[in-house]
Amino acid sequence: MDTAAPAPSWFGPAVLDKEMHQLDDPQEFGRLWQGFMTARLTLGLVLMLLQSTLYFAGNSHSKVMALVSAAYFASTLVSKLWIKPRPLGRSFNPAWGGLVGLDLLVFSLLQLVQDNSGINYTPLFALPILLASVLGSLRLALGTAAGVTVLLLGGTLWTYLHNTVDATTTPHFVQAALSGVGYFAIALLANQLASRLASEGQRARLSQLAATVQRQVNELVIESLPDGVLIVDDRGCVRAANPAAQQLLVSQRARQPLVFDLRSETGWRPLLNLTRLSFGTGQAQEEDVTIRIEGQGPRRVRARARLAAPLGADGESLCVLFLQDQRELEARMRTEKLASMGRMSTAVAHEIRNPLAAIAQANALLEEDLEDPRLKQLTAMVRQNTKRLEKIVDDILDVSRVPPHDRALAAPTLALNESIHQICLDWAMQSGSQQRLGMRLPDQALQVRFDTEHLRRVLVNLLDNARRYASDQAEAIQVSSCLQGEHHATVSVWSDGAPMDQSVERHLFEPFFSSESRSSGLGLFICRELCEGHGASILHQRNVRSVGGQPCEGNEFVITFARTPSATGDSMRDTTDTPWQTTLY
């Protein structure tokens, strides 16, 4: 009954068949070669010692046999030491003649010139037949067996022609024929067994290569997974954990070893209970657990426990835990919801433009006929707010569209330090953060192409974030600028806030992602879009600043501007000039 062949795996033999020719193991062939050479050398030594003993003991009067045995021993010694391992090929060749042919010649001479010692040398012909069968092809093995059979029959015929015919001659021919048939069987079986073993060894090496590639790919995939993966035994010992699981279970200040115990920390108790429940029931388990780590807030994690198949009948079973941070899961869900709301807000912004333009036009017509200063003040307020709404609508539409590449060239040129100084003063007065804000702006003209209102939006957003997490001491928030080479200028907004969680920092500039439930997560995204639209860049880093004369580590957002061509061509003053060091008390 025919069965369908199993489907090949990603890295199974069907994929790696083209590499079969590269999987021949030279060491294995070398071991076979050395084994046969050692056997020939041992046989040559035994023959030399045997013939020498018989000659000196007086049992043999033929010096030829002793000399032939000594010459055979010397030739086998030379072949073992100097000839490199190589296959005999598929047909008769010099390699075959140097090894197999030499054995056949020596054993035939010993059988032919033997005297009345009564020693039968025909069993020695099995060695060259095995040598040709294992190290050569089937054709070479059968040819060697045929040659041995011809030699046996020829020797029997020689004996028959030079001796008196008696009743025992016919059995000698039968014995030679049966020995030849046996040698043919040995050649066939040895060659088939050698071919089968070579094929199985090649398949084993191919499977080992496929398993190695599959293991490396699995390790790479597990290392790169955003979800945590733990392999836990029935005692609660973690055998392996990928980096995502290490981040979820271990605080940033502590470095956990590769193998640890879930029983060693109280905050890991929910995971230990889930694995025990999975081992006890023998079924997969899924539960939302809370992990509490010292020095950090609680982390809500969705844990899924899956039992792996035991190794062998009495092998221990392992449990695989998949950990997913609920915060990131909820952030992705919120991103999807707010993304649809963003598309809707873009459509609403399009619809608002026409009524807003009508309001502005009607207000302008109404303002022409008014004489009362109080009414003109009201129309002025309407005009200012309609312009502000128009600006907001344009910004929403700009964020929803890909900014044009020439937007930075179309933006007006502004004096960077003066603009930053004025924006920070206005923000400090409105937010009441005069005591916490310090500015370090060099007395140097830095000209960049950036829209003033967009720069205000970027800086106000960064300052609001800094005020939310900074302490109340003086200069807890610092704004500074400096030159970076001849073509760039940087502005940094620093605060002495605590380090961000890596899961938050990784998605810092993504739209609709926020660590606070009441925030839409658009602030930093809009900052990045506005900066990139003007040819600038923004990044976050941890940096050390001086607060109250003491070094303090905090969060820093750095904006890199491209200076205008006219500014880079001017003579620049040294950046070590006396800066504007302003602290608003």
Side-chain angles (χ1 to χ4, degrees), residues 182-196:
Y183 289 141
F184 272 101
I186 291 175
L188 179 62
L189 292 177
N191 183 265
Q192 293 297 320
L193 289 175
S195 300
R196 180 65 180 271

Side-chain angles (χ1 to χ4, degrees), residues 387-444:
K387 288 183 179 180
R388 184 180 178 185
L389 288 175
E390 289 177 356
K391 184 66 174 176
I392 293 175
V393 169
D394 291 338
D395 288 342
I396 292 177
L397 295 178
D398 286 342
V399 171
S400 64
R401 294 193 298 261
V402 177
H405 296 287
D406 57 348
R407 180 173 177 177
L409 298 177
T413 302
L414 58 84
L416 186 60
N417 288 331
E418 290 83 348
S419 301
I420 294 174
H421 187 265
Q422 186 61 44
I423 293 172
C424 292
L425 286 178
D426 296 340
W427 175 82
M429 295 297 295
Q430 294 176 4
S431 61
S433 303
Q434 295 91 335
Q435 294 183 352
R436 292 197 291 175
L437 178 62
M439 288 185 287
R440 290 175 171 83
L441 305 175
D443 186 10
Q444 184 177 12

